[in-house]
Amino acid sequence: MNRFYLAKTNKAALFFAMALLPSGLAYAQVKKDSVTKERKIDEVVVIGYGTQRKEAVTGSVATVKGDVLREVPSANITQALQGRTAGVDISQTSTKPGAAMQIRIRGTRSLTGDNNPLIVLDGIPFVGSLSDISSSDIKSIDILKDASATAIYGSRGANGVILVTTNRGSKGQKPRFTYNSFTGVQTLFSKYPMMDGPKFAQLRAYATPAGNTTPLYTNGADENNNTNTDWQSLYYKPAMMTSHDVGVSGGTEGGNYNVGLSYFKQDALIPLQSYERFSLRTAIDQQVGKFKFGFTTNTNYSVSEGNGVNPGAILGYSPLANPYNADGSFKRVMSTAGGIDQTWIYTRKTLESLNDKYVDETKSFASYNNLYGEVSLPLNGLKYRLNVGLDFRTANSGNYTGVGVFNTNPLGPSSAGRGNNQTYHWVVENLLTYDRTFGKHKVNAVGLYSAEGNRFTSSYMSARNVPADFFQYYNLGQSPQADITVRPEDQRYEQTGLLSAMGRVMYTYDNKYMLTATLRADGSSRLAEGNKWHTYPALSLGWNITNESFMQNIKALNLLKLRAGWGQTSNQAVAPYSTLGSLTVTPYNFGGSNGTGVYVNQAPNADLGWEYSKTQNYGADFGLFNNRISGSIEYYRTHTYDLLSNKSLPPSSGLSFVTKNVAETENKGWEFSLNGTILDNPDGFSLDAGVNFYTNRNKILALASGIDRDVNNLWFVGHNINSLYDYQYIGLWQAGDPYQNILEPGTPADVVGSIKVLYTGGYNADGTPVRAIGPDDRQIFDTAPKYQGGFNIRMAYKNFELSTVGAFQHGGILISTLYGSASYLNRLTGRGNNVDVDYWTENNTDAYFPRPGRHLSGDNPKYSSTLAMFDASYLKLRTITLGYNIDTDFLKDLKITSFRIYVTVTNPVVLFSPYHKFSGMDPEPNSFGNENQAVSGYQSRQLIIGTNNPSTRNYLMGLNLTF
């Protein structure tokens, strides 16, 4: 195993335990006759189709308030959610401006289906992403994690539910104006750790084949050992980020309103890349007698530029190459590695000088609209509500590359492409709610009947030899007809529908005993006849022990509630029309004529059905010392079965597989959260802190046809979904190592200094290995961390406040393709620049990386994929914020209610990370497994560190103004 993977980082857990330790001590200092106001747990939690006091909630629900999210200034509220909630893993998938993040609630369930949670915006299922919502708009985010909580959303809530509630005006509220803004600069967190000129020249000279003194590669026409070009300095530049949000809210005796406009702009450190978003929101509620009406709209327009620009090319440029002509201008092409490589030169100036010769942009527009009407019926406590959601999304993308651009041939043909897609979504929900209290009995019942439809269309076409730069991608028809390509697989149309009925009853007796029972039925158009409908039951129980008579004398304990839940959900993970199979169109020759035919590329399956999950959840909530300390602990287990997977077919069928409901997975884990008010002096110093830990043990229980491994997809029974399958690095071959000639055949001159991997075969009677190392010696590596979590600390003194938010994880495997074989940045041959590593030489036999130029497999050292694995542990301070609230006496004359200014640094500190210590880089992934690398090697579901945009450290200044 990689030595970095074996590093221990238990200091992180100790740090957080100590951070909260003073809580009890602080309480001991409070006198018994203190007049400190008792903190009651009367918080209202959004649970879907209604609200509930937090004290009465029986399912697994986590809440993050909007003001907490705004402690992390960001373009995407998922960045502010990172580390805030136990059991919610939010991972970076890209470092490009405006990029979305991956959210997993209590692990990954499906092998091939969607694992993203359902987002519900103001009560209506949301087809956008969280990045479409400004953090200034958000009142709260409630996350439903277990089946007893998510069952009300049926198949859509199989992977958890995120309920977003936006701000609204208040009844009778005078008009209130708010302005929230931040602006700052993004700087390079760290360069990619590439070799400089002298180190690379030394590597190239040493990289010689066995039995030869001539290097594998010599200097090209544009290289010189006296040159030392820092290509990254010619590419990266600090970039600006700014956000402005203006809002007006208010109300009358009969209604309220909230209107806002926001603008966000983020440039990238690399050239030509940026993200810009305009958002408009409106929320109106009006009461007319027994009737109540409301309307909410969220509309945004965004422009994303230069997503095709990538720093990967420059990382491999030789630092010995001189990019300048004699007159100081940049060369167009350079020759390196003895003339083998001819490369178009990417620098900031060459890219910015392209003007109309290059464009790559996506323009998106979305409008999300919710309407409702509500009426109180004659029976006391009974209401009818109609919800209507009407959403529209469209994205238009275009790219153009002019003649000779990015091409070593100055006459290389121009190319262009244009794509567009539209999503039309509607939902109608009929809700009947009964809410009454009878003495000690409280009953809340909800009945639902809903229908939902979704239509998606997309198309893409491309062309070559565009006549002029000014056409760009706007009129591809001007290209020669023979150079215009419209592929059938690039044109899509999908229409799906869902019908649902749901009933839920919440019952509380004497505020001690609580029961929630839910039954929901869904019918999906995606599934085969006979399998379209399924009914999901869920049940959860709660016992508020602190309200029992025998607990009344225990003053230090304010809350102790036990809860348990069980439920079933399912996932309609089948792609539309999969039950029908599909055909592929192909041209063919028949004699002297041409024809077009079709063949089956996906077998139909009339038995395709739901993917089911059954979840058990057990939890305890507690509050101590006037709720100065509060928290919860939970255990859950989710068994998911009938998962879609490919089952092999005999060759005589003409197809290699058919998709069936055959696999099983399991997720189980513990979650713990603790929040404490350590010091509380409104006129002096106050200190609050919170921490959460969670584990998730994910593993595959069964695969198709009873097999225990699917190597092509990297799925292995008994291991997690994101496992790796590779050799295990144990060191380097050294001179005199026993059995080298058997285990790793080859001459010592070639093998010594190369990577040694674990041998798992048998041995002969004389102790010699029975065979050479081969594919059977590959191991299964579980990549998931042992535990994860987050923390927050806030200190305040009079008008000053200092806060920090962070996250951590311990264990697991981080894949960094920079050091493996996939990126071509650690070939150790001297052909292109190399990551700066300590490699084996005759005078440096203790090195971790192999001898340059020896024992190669293709372009890389043999077994070099094992070098990509690192210990994934880290502790990060995501933000540090210093704020000042301007004195209210000063503001009164200006009619200002509140005025706060602050400075924030994001991504300031990384601790306890073996990868960061080794490379200096951010230890969080920045790419999907199938992107940003020279060759494939990982599944798209795996998150890796690839040659994506570098991570940034941001310095921001902002203000919050209300009057």
Side-chain angles (χ1 to χ4, degrees):
M1 171 61 73
N2 185 312
R3 66 178 178 183
F4 302 114
Y5 180 70
L6 299 176
K8 302 296 182 183
T9 58
N10 291 328
K11 296 178 182 178
L14 179 62
F15 176 84
F16 296 112
M18 293 178 65
L20 288 176
L21 185 60
S23 299
L25 297 178
Y27 177 77
Q29 297 172 2
V30 179
K31 296 180 180 180
K32 293 182 179 180
D33 60 354
S34 171
V35 294
T36 300
K37 184 178 179 180
E38 181 182 1
R39 297 172 177 84
K40 295 182 179 180
I41 301 181
D42 55 3
E43 180 181 348
V44 174
V45 177
V46 179
I47 55 173
Y49 303 118
T51 59
Q52 194 174 24
R53 286 187 310 111
K54 188 174 182 179
E55 190 179 19
V57 172
T58 55
S60 182
V61 183
T63 300
V64 182
K65 294 299 183 183
D67 54 353
V68 171
L69 292 174
R70 287 183 281 276
E71 291 179 5
V72 181
S74 61
N76 192 333
I77 59 175
T78 49
Q79 295 172 329
L81 274 173
Q82 282 184 295
R84 286 289 190 179
T85 305
V88 181
D89 180 24
I90 300 177
S91 303
Q92 189 174 250
T93 62
S94 175
T95 39
K96 295 178 180 178
M101 303 185 77
Q102 176 180 280
I103 304 175
R104 294 290 180 265
I105 298 177
R106 291 185 168 179
T108 301
R109 298 163 179 78
S110 179
L111 298 180
T112 60
D114 186 8
N115 283 289
N116 294 313
L118 170 69
I119 300 173
V120 177
L121 178 63
D122 290 326
I124 298 293
F126 186 56
V127 293
S129 69
L130 288 176
S131 61
D132 292 329
I133 309 169
S134 171
S135 60
S136 295
D137 298 345
I138 295 175
K139 180 181 179 181
S140 68
I141 290 181
D142 297 89
I143 302 173
L144 313 184
K145 296 186 286 186
D146 73 322
S148 66
T150 65
I152 56 172
Y153 290 103
S155 60
R156 296 174 301 182
N159 301 309
V161 181
I162 298 176
L163 304 173
V164 181
T165 303
T166 59
N167 292 316
R168 309 182 87 85
S170 301
K171 184 178 179 180
Q173 173 193 317
K174 293 182 179 180
R176 181 173 61 191
F177 173 87
T178 60
Y179 174 61
N180 300 305
S181 173
F182 65 82
T183 300
V185 62
Q186 305 165 90
T187 63
L188 193 65
F189 180 88
S190 70
K191 291 181 179 179
Y192 282 83
M194 307 307 297
M195 288 184 173
D196 60 16
K199 288 183 177 180
F200 181 67
Q202 185 177 12
L203 168 69
R204 177 174 278 179
Y206 191 72
T208 58
N212 198 327
T213 58
T214 302
L216 289 169
Y217 300 98
T218 58
N219 288 349
D222 292 295
E223 291 178 293
N224 187 296
N225 283 0
N226 295 322
T227 300
N228 187 10
T229 301
D230 184 350
W231 291 99
Q232 294 185 73
S233 294
L234 296 174
Y235 201 67
Y236 304 134
K237 186 178 77 172
M240 296 299 295
M241 177 168 63
T242 186
S243 174
H244 303 277
D245 188 284
V246 179
V248 179
S249 63
T252 64
E253 289 303 313
N256 57 71
Y257 62 89
N258 187 352
V259 180
L261 178 67
S262 63
Y263 171 77
F264 178 82
K265 174 71 181 295
Q266 181 181 6
D267 295 320
L269 271 63
I270 70 174
L272 305 185
Q273 201 171 91
S274 66
Y275 174 76
E276 190 173 26
R277 183 186 66 213
F278 303 83
S279 300
L280 174 67
R281 65 189 183 278
T282 302
I284 299 174
D285 302 287
Q286 183 64 46
Q287 184 84 39
V288 181
K290 293 184 177 182
F291 295 90
K292 186 177 181 181
F293 305 94
F295 171 73
T296 303
T297 179
N298 286 270
T299 301
N300 61 66
Y301 172 74
S302 64
V303 180
S304 184
E305 299 276 2
N307 281 332
V309 180
N310 188 283
I314 65 146
L315 298 178
Y317 285 174
S318 167
L320 306 178
N322 181 3
Y324 299 102
N325 294 307
D327 62 0
S329 62
F330 279 99
K331 297 174 182 176
R332 184 181 174 279
V333 176
M334 63 182 177
S335 174
T336 59
I340 294 176
D341 293 328
Q342 303 288 323
T343 310
W344 194 90
I345 297 178
Y346 291 81
T347 67
R348 174 171 290 274
K349 287 189 176 181
T350 56
L351 286 170
E352 290 177 343
S353 66
L354 292 175
N355 297 319
D356 288 346
K357 292 182 179 293
Y358 176 75
V359 64
D360 177 19
E361 62 186 12
T362 299
K363 299 177 181 178
S364 301
F365 173 84
S367 181
Y368 311 105
N369 305 281
N370 304 343
L371 302 92
Y372 76 88
E374 185 177 277
V375 58
S376 297
L377 299 178
L379 181 62
N380 190 15
L382 187 64
K383 292 182 179 180
Y384 168 76
R385 181 182 176 108
L386 173 67
N387 291 330
V388 178
L390 300 170
D391 305 320
F392 172 72
R393 288 170 55 94
T394 183
N396 293 282
S397 62
N399 61 82
Y400 171 72
T401 304
V403 174
V405 175
F406 310 146
N407 199 320
T408 56
N409 178 7
L411 300 178
S414 61
S415 62
R418 182 165 189 168
N420 65 81
N421 63 71
Q422 291 86 35
T423 298
Y424 306 85
H425 171 260
W426 62 266
V427 60
V428 176
E429 297 179 332
N430 296 274
L431 285 160
L432 200 60
T433 304
Y434 181 70
D435 192 358
R436 285 291 304 275
T437 299
F438 306 92
K440 295 182 178 181
H441 306 272
K442 182 176 177 58
V443 178
N444 179 281
V446 178
L448 166 79
Y449 178 75
S450 70
E452 182 178 358
N454 197 84
R455 180 159 60 95
F456 174 79
T457 63
S458 71
S459 64
Y460 182 83
M461 64 183 298
S462 60
R464 291 164 58 89
N465 293 308
V466 178
D469 290 335
F470 61 79
F471 281 114
Q472 294 190 338
Y473 62 84
Y474 295 106
N475 194 343
L476 302 187
Q478 295 292 335
S479 299
Q481 293 300 303
D483 291 333
I484 299 174
T485 302
V486 182
R487 303 189 308 168
E489 56 267 35
D490 290 335
Q491 324 306 313
R492 291 177 58 194
Y493 173 86
E494 297 175 358
Q495 187 165 355
T496 59
L498 186 73
L499 287 176
S500 305
M502 184 272 293
R504 179 185 67 194
V505 176
M506 296 186 295
Y507 171 73
T508 301
Y509 175 73
D510 200 18
N511 203 25
K512 299 176 185 178
Y513 315 111
M514 294 149 282
L515 178 148
T516 301
T518 306
L519 191 68
R520 175 160 177 144
D522 279 346
S524 173
S525 66
R526 296 170 182 256
L527 305 175
E529 293 293 337
N531 293 324
K532 291 184 181 295
W533 283 89
H534 187 71
T535 301
Y536 316 92
L539 179 70
S540 59
L541 303 170
W543 179 24
N544 194 340
I545 301 176
T546 43
N547 287 341
E548 296 287 357
S549 58
F550 58 81
M551 297 291 292
Q552 299 309 304
N553 293 326
I554 305 177
K555 302 300 183 182
L557 184 64
N558 304 105
L559 173 67
L560 178 59
K561 181 180 67 177
L562 303 181
R563 48 189 169 80
W566 174 90
Q568 185 189 67
T569 58
S570 72
N571 189 353
Q572 47 172 333
V574 177
Y577 316 120
S578 293
T579 59
L580 307 177
S582 63
L583 304 173
T584 294
V585 179
T586 183
Y588 65 92
N589 294 327
F590 185 77
S593 61
N594 299 325
T596 302
V598 296
Y599 65 90
V600 177
N601 71 340
Q602 180 177 327
N605 184 352
D607 297 323
L608 280 181
W610 303 87
E611 295 185 343
Y612 299 106
S613 291
K614 291 182 178 179
T615 296
Q616 305 167 47
N617 190 85
Y618 307 95
D621 303 318
F622 57 88
L624 301 167
F625 312 129
N626 279 348
N627 290 313
R628 294 184 66 135
I629 298 177
S630 61
S632 65
I633 184 169
E634 295 189 72
Y635 172 78
Y636 67 90
R637 179 182 182 271
T638 301
H639 175 214
T640 307
Y641 56 99
D642 282 355
L643 288 172
L644 296 172
S645 185
N646 294 331
K647 184 175 182 179
S648 299
L649 294 175
S652 59
S653 68
L655 294 168
S656 57
F657 65 87
V658 61
T659 302
K660 298 181 74 69
N661 298 92
V662 288
E664 296 181 49
T665 61
E666 177 187 71
N667 286 274
K668 60 183 179 181
W670 290 88
E671 297 172 359
F672 174 74
S673 63
L674 181 65
N675 296 283
T677 299
I678 300 170
L679 295 172
D680 186 12
N681 183 353
D683 299 321
F685 186 76
S686 61
L687 175 62
D688 299 279
V691 64
N692 67 80
F693 294 85
Y694 62 95
T695 66
N696 177 260
R697 299 291 177 259
N698 166 266
K699 67 178 178 180
I700 298 173
L701 300 180
L703 290 169
S705 304
I707 61 175
D708 63 359
R709 59 181 56 195
D710 180 344
V711 175
N712 289 334
N713 288 304
L714 297 181
W715 292 327
F716 306 93
V717 172
H719 297 271
N720 65 53
I721 291 175
N722 290 324
S723 294
L724 295 175
Y725 189 55
D726 205 345
Y727 297 93
Q728 182 173 329
Y729 175 101
I730 60 173
L732 301 177
W733 285 103
Q734 306 291 346
D737 279 355
Y739 312 131
Q740 174 261 303
N741 60 323
I742 301 175
L743 293 174
E744 196 61 48
T747 65
D750 186 52
V751 175
V752 170
S754 68
I755 298 171
K756 180 192 288 187
V757 297
L758 182 68
Y759 170 69
T760 61
Y763 293 86
N764 297 310
D766 60 359
T768 58
V770 299
R771 60 170 175 81
I773 292 172
D776 290 342
D777 294 302
R778 290 176 292 177
Q779 309 290 304
I780 302 170
F781 298 97
D782 288 323
T783 60
K786 293 182 179 179
Y787 62 79
Q788 298 169 266
F791 62 96
N792 58 87
I793 301 171
R794 181 184 178 276
M795 296 174 284
Y797 179 73
K798 294 186 176 179
N799 291 354
F800 289 94
E801 57 185 26
L802 178 66
S803 63
T804 184
V805 178
F808 58 89
Q809 70 176 41
H810 173 66
I813 296 178
L814 172 66
I815 304 168
S816 175
T817 61
L818 276 65
Y819 293 94
S821 57
S823 70
Y824 280 7
L825 295 179
N826 195 21
R827 290 180 286 186
L828 289 167
T829 61
R831 180 170 180 176
N833 200 9
N834 211 90
V835 283
D836 191 1
V837 297
D838 180 33
Y839 53 83
W840 190 98
T841 68
E842 290 86 348
N843 299 319
N844 188 33
T845 58
D846 291 335
Y848 184 78
F849 291 88
R851 176 172 183 164
R854 301 288 174 91
H855 207 53
L856 300 177
S857 176
D859 293 319
N860 292 285
K862 192 174 183 182
Y863 309 123
S864 60
S865 60
T866 63
L867 303 174
M869 290 187 283
F870 292 81
D871 183 342
S873 302
Y874 68 81
L875 183 154
K876 291 185 69 174
L877 298 185
R878 296 201 181 279
T879 63
I880 299 175
T881 299
L882 175 63
Y884 179 77
N885 295 286
I886 296 176
D887 192 274
T888 55
D889 292 335
F890 172 76
L891 299 176
K892 285 181 180 178
D893 293 338
L894 300 176
K895 307 297 183 181
I896 296 176
T897 306
S898 64
F899 188 12
R900 174 178 176 264
I901 58 175
Y902 64 90
V903 291
T904 296
V905 56
T906 67
N907 218 14
V909 179
V910 175
L911 301 170
F912 313 122
S913 167
Y915 182 74
H916 174 69
K917 183 178 180 181
F918 175 73
S919 67
M921 296 182 64
D922 190 333
E924 290 192 80
N926 63 15
S927 306
F928 290 107
N930 62 344
E931 63 179 359
N932 296 315
Q933 50 190 315
V935 294
S936 62
Y938 300 98
Q939 300 292 319
S940 61
R941 65 179 182 271
Q942 294 167 320
L943 300 182
I944 65 169
I945 292 181
T947 57
N948 210 329
N949 292 22
S951 293
T952 63
R953 179 177 286 121
N954 307 330
Y955 300 91
L956 307 172
M957 177 175 289
L959 63 88
N960 308 118
L961 175 66
T962 303
F963 62 83

